[in-house]
């Protein structure tokens, strides 16, 4: 890379000068390689992370400048690790996870090697034969052996831990010219193909590039996938790794971008919800992808990321952005099939239009392995840049040592993963699959259909294995009323069984409760947990109600200063239970989350019908409030054979009529009678909007 040239004052040059200044300052300080003692977030943990990042930066600086002071910094750091490593055993803060030596879990050990081997590769030409032998034999090979032959369960596991381990060992094999190590990394320790990097690519990604653990872990696993793939491409281009499985690695980079809203990844499964498209893993992914396909829309994402990589691909991206070659990235409604064949359910994205307009994430995916949650047919709603109907994500304070060593909190299992923490039906206060991961991993919903039309985005999915003898079918739509108004959400949830059950449907809302159109009995002096298990024990019952009307409304104000109302059609006696997290939480581990739950005490079959509408605006700065009440005046529904007819009446008496054929499309045209009028339905749905346009 030393021969790479760059125009003065470009973003690449600016980044180069910034990194050079940082690493030059570090070179003035003593090298510190402490004896490991702290879990995530603790001093020694963070020091070792800092060390591998600084080695990586110094290696880049040596490549770009040729100055041996950077090479000597990396050499001396690796010498220190070569002295330390033989003296330490398994980490003292190890827990249930597979332990490391330098770090409390082996995953971090693999990350250390991924970065360190790149640093060593960059500076190896500046070292003597004896220096290289010392580093290779006394630290690089021992760490690679610890990750592979000494930890076969992790190395052969189809999981993000296995991805990091195989990438680290495979890259080390290329640098040390050890093809045996490379083959084991690619095909598993016995080289049978039952494990290894390629098996990870086969099983963890769907054909559309969706990663089964969800966007948060897709982001995390992306770096070893793309970094090792780049190494394979550079060393063995005949393998055509970026063409593997019809280009699944490039699709994974693309889908990681698309699985975001307002710059943040959708917070499903075990997710830290502050992670977004500016994360270093996706910065590298976008850079590598642009180097391969020169897609100008990727430059839009790179520009938003605001981080320039000091690599050949990074130079290409920086120069293209400086030349204003970027084009707006198009975020569209899309179905991402889950599983290796793409047939294990799907994550469905329904987007109204512009990037920060209304968006529905309909989670009809497979379980997502150990990081998955028990939330089949769950959904999240976004609008005007904010999460409005939310997912709790993970119960964890990452790298905050005071909070359980930065690890997943006990409440991650007892609450965050449980069904009641989500926005989907809970039967008899038990979580889907009774909260058993091994059972849940066997089953996934069936996607009944997906429609992406101009005025209606619509999808439906079914699962009959979450509860024995109970079938769940949910149909979600994003409906445009008028171009001047935000789209509304239509949510039809069918539950059927041969025996009676209690059905709960929570809505985890983000914001401040404003009002309801029914009386609420608030528990102002005494609160009790809603239940005793499956997450219910963590919910304070703050209020309850039994609406006497068949149309129930709940309105809340989101942090984006807009109002949201759910209008519910109550076709059976229904209670509303208002809850907040925090019960049975002695260490204050749970973040505060408010919800209201529609409860049907006993029924065989039930249909929850809800419409969620954004409306109005609250401006405390200018002291005005606009349209704080719902526009929906009436809501009715009728099932006519396989056809579901939903009629929404607005306050100006305009009506929206939506008819959906929930059965098989056996005929091109199907007639039905509704309110003494005959309609003809062609295809999956018919929509009559206020503008009287018929689809």
């Amino acid at each position: 890379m030393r021969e790479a040239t760059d125009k003065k004052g470009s973003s690449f040059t600016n980044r180069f000068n910034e990194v050079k200044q940082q690493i030059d300052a570090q070179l003035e300080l003593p090298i510190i390689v402490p004896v490991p003692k702290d879990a995530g977030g603790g001093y020694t943990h963070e020091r070792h992370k800092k060390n591998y990042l600084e080695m990586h930066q110094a290696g880049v600086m040596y490549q770009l400048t040729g100055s041996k002071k950077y090479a000597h910094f990396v050499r001396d750091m690796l010498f220190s690790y070569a002295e330390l490593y033989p003296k330490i055993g398994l980490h003292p803060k190890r827990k249930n996870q597979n332990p490391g030596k330098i770090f409390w879990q082996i995953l971090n050990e693999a990350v250390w090697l991924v970065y360190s081997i790149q640093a060593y590769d960059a500076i190896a030409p500046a070292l003597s034969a004896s220096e290289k032998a010392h580093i290779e034999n006394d630290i690089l090979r021992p760490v690679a052996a610890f990750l592979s032959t000494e930890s076969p369960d992790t190395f052969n596991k189809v999981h993000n831990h296995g991805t990091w381990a195989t990438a680290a060992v495979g890259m080390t094999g290329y640098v040390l010219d050890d093809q045996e190590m490379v083959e084991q990394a690619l095909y598993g320790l016995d080289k049978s193909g039952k494990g290894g990097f390629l098996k990870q690519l086969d099983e963890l990604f769907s054909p559309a590039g969706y990663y089964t653990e969800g966007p948060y872990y897709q982001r995390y696993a992306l770096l070893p996938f793309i970094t090792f793939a780049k190494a394979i491409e550079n060393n063995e281009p005949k393998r055509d790794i970026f063409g593997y499985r019809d280009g699944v690695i490039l699709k994974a980079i693309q889908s990681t971008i698309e699985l975001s809203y307002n710059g943040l990844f959708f917070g499903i499964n075990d997710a830290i919800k502050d992670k977004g498209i500016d994360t270093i893993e996706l910065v590298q992914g976008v850079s590598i992808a642009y180097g391969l396909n020169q897609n100008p829309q990727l430059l839009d994402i790179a520009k938003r990321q605001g981080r320039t990589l000091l690599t050949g691909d990074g130079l290409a991206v920086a120069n293209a952005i400086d030349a204003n070659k970027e084009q707006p990235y198009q975020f569209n409604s899309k179905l991402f099939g889950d599983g290796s064949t793409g047939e294990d359910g799907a994550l469905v994205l329904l987007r109204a239009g512009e990037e920060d307009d209304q968006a529905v994430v309909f989670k009809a995916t497979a379980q997502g392995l150990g990081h998955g949650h028990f939330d089949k047919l769950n959904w999240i709603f976004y609008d005007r840049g904010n999460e409005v109907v939310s997912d709790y994500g993970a119960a964890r304070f990452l790298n905050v040592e005071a909070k359980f060593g930065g690890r997943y909190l006990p409440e991650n299992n007892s609450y965050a993963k449980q069904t009641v923490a989500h926005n989907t039906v809970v039967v008899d206060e038990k979580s889907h699959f009774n909260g058993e991961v091994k059972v849940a991993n066997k089953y996934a919903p069936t996607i009944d259909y997906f429609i992406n039309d101009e005025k209606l985005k619509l999808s439906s999915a079914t699962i009959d294995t979450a509860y024995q003898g109970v079938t769940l079918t949910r149909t979600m739509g994003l409906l445009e009323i008028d171009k001047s108004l935000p789209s509304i959400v239509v949510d039809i949830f069918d539950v059927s069984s041969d025996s009676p059950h209690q059905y709960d449907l929570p809505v985890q809302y983000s914001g401040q409760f404003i009002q309801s159109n029914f009386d609420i009995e608030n528990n102002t002096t005494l609160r009790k947990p809603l239940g005793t298990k499956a997450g219910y024990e963590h919910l304070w019952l703050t209020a309850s109600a039994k609406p006497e009307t068949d149309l129930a409304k709940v309105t809340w104000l989101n942090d984006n200063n807009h109002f949201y109302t759910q209008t519910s059609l109550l076709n059976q006696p229904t209670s509303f239970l208002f809850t907040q997290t925090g019960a049975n939480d002695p260490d204050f581990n749970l973040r505060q989350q408010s919800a209201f739950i529609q409860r049907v005490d006993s029924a065989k079959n039930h249909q929850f019908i809800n419409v969620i509408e954004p409306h109005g605006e609250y401006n405390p700065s200018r002291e005005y409030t606009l349209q704080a009440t719902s526009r929906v005046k009436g809501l009715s529904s009728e099932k006519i054979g396989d056809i579901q007819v939903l009629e929404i009446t607005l306050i100006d008496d305009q009506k929206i009529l939506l008819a959906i054929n929930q059965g098989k499309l056996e005929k091109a045209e199907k007639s039905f009678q509704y309110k003494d009028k005959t309609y003809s339905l062609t295809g999956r749905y018919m929509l009559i909007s206020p503008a009287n346009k018929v689809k």
Side-chain angles (χ1 to χ4, degrees), residues 23 93 170 188 327 405 505 565 577 679:
I23 199 65
K93 287 294 181 73
Q327 295 179 7
L505 179 57
T565 295
L577 310 175
Y679 295 89

Side-chain angles (χ1 to χ4, degrees), residues 519-577:
D519 293 334
I520 295 175
E521 183 179 346
N522 202 314
N523 300 325
T524 56
T525 60
L526 180 64
R527 292 180 176 179
K528 295 181 179 180
L530 184 57
T532 60
K533 57 184 179 180
Y536 282 77
E537 73 273 25
H538 291 300
L539 297 176
W540 291 120
L541 178 59
T542 60
S544 58
K546 289 189 176 181
E548 296 179 358
T549 173
D550 62 357
L551 208 63
K553 290 178 175 289
V554 177
T555 300
W556 65 97
L557 176 65
N558 187 260
D559 289 342
N560 63 19
N561 287 336
H562 291 273
F563 298 94
Y564 298 85
T565 295
Q566 174 167 298
T567 301
S568 305
L569 181 61
L570 308 183
N571 47 35
Q572 283 182 267
T574 303
S575 300
F576 275 69
L577 310 175

Side-chain angles (χ1 to χ4, degrees), residues 388-616:
V388 176
V389 175
S390 65
D391 189 291
Y392 190 88
R396 182 185 190 185
F397 292 85
L398 183 64
N399 285 339
V400 179
E401 189 178 20
K403 281 293 189 184
F404 208 60
R407 301 184 295 273
Y408 286 103
L409 296 159
E411 290 78 9
N412 197 58
N413 288 326
S414 61
Y415 178 71
K417 288 189 176 186
Q418 301 298 324
T419 307
V420 75
H422 302 87
N423 307 298
T424 186
V425 163
V426 189
V427 177
D428 297 331
E429 298 187 28
K430 297 177 181 178
S431 285
H432 297 171
F433 308 105
N434 212 24
E436 297 179 15
V437 176
K438 289 184 179 180
V439 177
N441 280 334
K442 298 177 182 179
Y443 304 104
T446 298
I447 302 300
D448 301 317
Y449 52 82
F450 169 69
I451 293 168
N452 181 19
D453 288 346
E454 181 182 358
K455 296 194 178 296
L456 179 66
K457 324 296 180 183
L458 188 68
S459 186
S460 184
T462 299
I463 187 166
D464 60 7
T465 51
Y467 296 103
Q468 186 174 359
V470 180
T471 298
L472 308 176
T473 298
R474 193 170 207 169
T475 302
M476 302 218 65
L478 196 55
L479 171 62
E480 180 185 296
I481 301 175
D482 185 279
K483 286 189 178 297
S484 63
L485 298 173
S487 295
I488 65 173
V489 177
V490 173
D491 178 16
I492 304 170
F493 206 135
D494 288 281
V495 191
S496 62
S497 177
D498 291 333
S499 57
H501 296 277
Q502 174 187 289
Y503 300 132
D504 287 349
L505 179 57
V507 173
Q508 319 287 337
Y509 66 92
S510 295
Q512 175 65 42
F513 173 86
I514 296 297
Q515 67 174 357
S516 65
N517 71 337
F518 49 86
D519 293 334
I520 295 175
E521 183 179 346
N522 202 314
N523 300 325
T524 56
T525 60
L526 180 64
R527 292 180 176 179
K528 295 181 179 180
L530 184 57
T532 60
K533 57 184 179 180
Y536 282 77
E537 73 273 25
H538 291 300
L539 297 176
W540 291 120
L541 178 59
T542 60
S544 58
K546 289 189 176 181
E548 296 179 358
T549 173
D550 62 357
L551 208 63
K553 290 178 175 289
V554 177
T555 300
W556 65 97
L557 176 65
N558 187 260
D559 289 342
N560 63 19
N561 287 336
H562 291 273
F563 298 94
Y564 298 85
T565 295
Q566 174 167 298
T567 301
S568 305
L569 181 61
L570 308 183
N571 47 35
Q572 283 182 267
T574 303
S575 300
F576 275 69
L577 310 175
F578 292 82
T579 67
Q580 285 184 347
T581 51
N584 291 296
D585 181 21
D587 297 319
F588 301 100
N589 285 337
L590 289 171
R591 307 186 306 274
Q592 189 173 91
Q593 174 66 63
S594 298
F596 57 90
I597 300 172
Q598 295 179 64
R599 170 170 289 181
V600 175
D601 287 322
S602 182
K604 292 182 179 180
N605 303 321
H606 183 70
Q607 188 175 63
F608 293 96
I609 297 178
N610 298 293
V611 171
I612 297 89
E613 57 167 322
H615 58 89

